[in-house]
Amino acid sequence: MPELKIAPSILASDFSRLGEEIRAVIDAGADWIHVDVMDGHFTPNITIGPPVVAALRQHCSVPMDVHLMITDPDAYIKDFADAGADIISFHVEAAKHPHRTISRIKELGCQAGIVLNPGTSHDDIEFLVDSVDMVLIMTVNPGFGGQSFIPEMVRKIQYVRAMLGDRDLEVDGGIDATTARTVIDAGANVLVAGSYVYRNPSYFDAIESLKTANV
Ligand code: DX5
Ligand code: ZN
């Protein structure tokens, strides 16, 4: 199993103090910062774009994990790479030629992740998985923080772990100390957590409880 990493999602942070909120979770032990990009087309919500990522880069001393929930990832990956993204993940449901999108992300010097919506089978990435650095399994439907973990995703995590070997398998949505234990047991090693971290009075306690969920 690759190393366990905690990636707080800034979607649940105080948007009026984004830089400060990023530094605070890094000081509390965050391994990556997860940035949720929504376009109002692929998702029923709009969040942030490349200029904001560029502005936040200077506050972020750990890898920036950019999750594109947008209909046309190819049109924007260069902008996010230029803005300072370290990992760029896109939805297999959104890309016309996902294998090409993976190559472009790597050519831009970033790590490439592919994302599966809850309704998408692991079979859809069978012929892509050898090319990616990471698979992200959505454990809620994309669009909003604070939703409940979908238990059927546990089986998908097991399937994808078997396909991935020792590369990163990230999960996103409804992660708290209880679901963290379940997904780690199933094979996940990168845990995105928005509400659980940012709504906790102690970011340190929240991150620590996720890190020790498998002990
Ligand atoms: C959902 C986003 C998630 C979200 C997770 O569309 O991709 O990253 O912020 O939020 P929580 O941890 O609150 O479920
Ligand atoms: Zn996300």
Side-chain angles (χ1 to χ4, degrees):
M1 242 317 241
E3 187 198 350
L4 179 66
K5 293 183 268 276
I6 309 302
S9 163
I10 58 169
L11 188 63
S13 72
D14 178 348
F15 269 30
S16 69
R17 299 184 299 112
L18 274 175
E20 205 180 306
E21 288 277 70
I22 285 176
R23 294 196 306 272
V25 288
I26 293 171
D27 288 347
D31 299 289
W32 292 356
I33 294 297
H34 185 81
V35 181
D36 285 309
V37 176
M38 306 186 193
D39 65 352
H41 294 278
F42 187 74
T43 47
N45 195 5
I46 300 176
T47 56
I48 65 176
V52 179
V53 171
L56 295 177
R57 184 63 263 190
Q58 62 185 306
H59 297 275
C60 188
S61 54
V62 299
M64 232 179 194
D65 173 32
V66 174
H67 174 194
L68 300 182
M69 289 164 275
I70 62 179
T71 50
D72 188 2
D74 293 271
Y76 295 97
I77 51 181
K78 184 169 188 318
D79 293 342
F80 283 101
D82 290 348
D86 297 283
I87 304 145
I88 299 181
S89 301
F90 66 97
H91 278 255
V92 68
E93 304 88 1
K96 283 202 184 77
H97 306 289
H99 197 275
R100 182 176 289 151
T101 309
I102 293 165
S103 303
R104 286 198 178 135
I105 293 171
K106 289 182 166 180
E107 282 160 22
L108 290 162
C110 299
Q111 291 195 27
I114 195 144
V115 193
L116 301 176
N117 268 338
T120 304
S121 169
H122 58 286
D123 286 337
D124 286 25
I125 57 165
E126 183 182 354
F127 300 104
L128 297 168
V129 83
D130 286 345
S131 309
V132 295
D133 297 294
M134 178 173 86
V135 174
L136 165 50
I137 296 181
M138 292 305 296
T139 41
V140 299
N141 285 292
F144 305 96
Q147 304 179 84
S148 298
F149 179 82
I150 301 173
E152 288 88 339
M153 296 306 107
V154 172
R155 203 153 41 96
K156 197 194 290 185
I157 295 166
Q158 292 166 341
Y159 289 143
V160 172
R161 171 51 70 202
M163 298 163 89
L164 262 184
D166 61 2
R167 280 169 291 157
D168 286 328
L169 197 172
E170 183 173 51
V171 288
D172 186 3
I175 300 299
D176 58 23
T178 306
T179 54
R181 179 183 288 261
T182 307
V183 295
I184 292 168
D185 282 349
N189 75 295
V190 185
L191 311 186
V192 175
S195 320
Y196 184 68
V197 171
Y198 277 108
R199 302 282 147 81
N200 195 306
S202 164
Y203 296 168
F204 180 85
D205 288 352
I207 291 171
E208 197 58 22
S209 69
L210 294 173
K211 285 191 169 171
T212 54
N214 65 334
V215 177

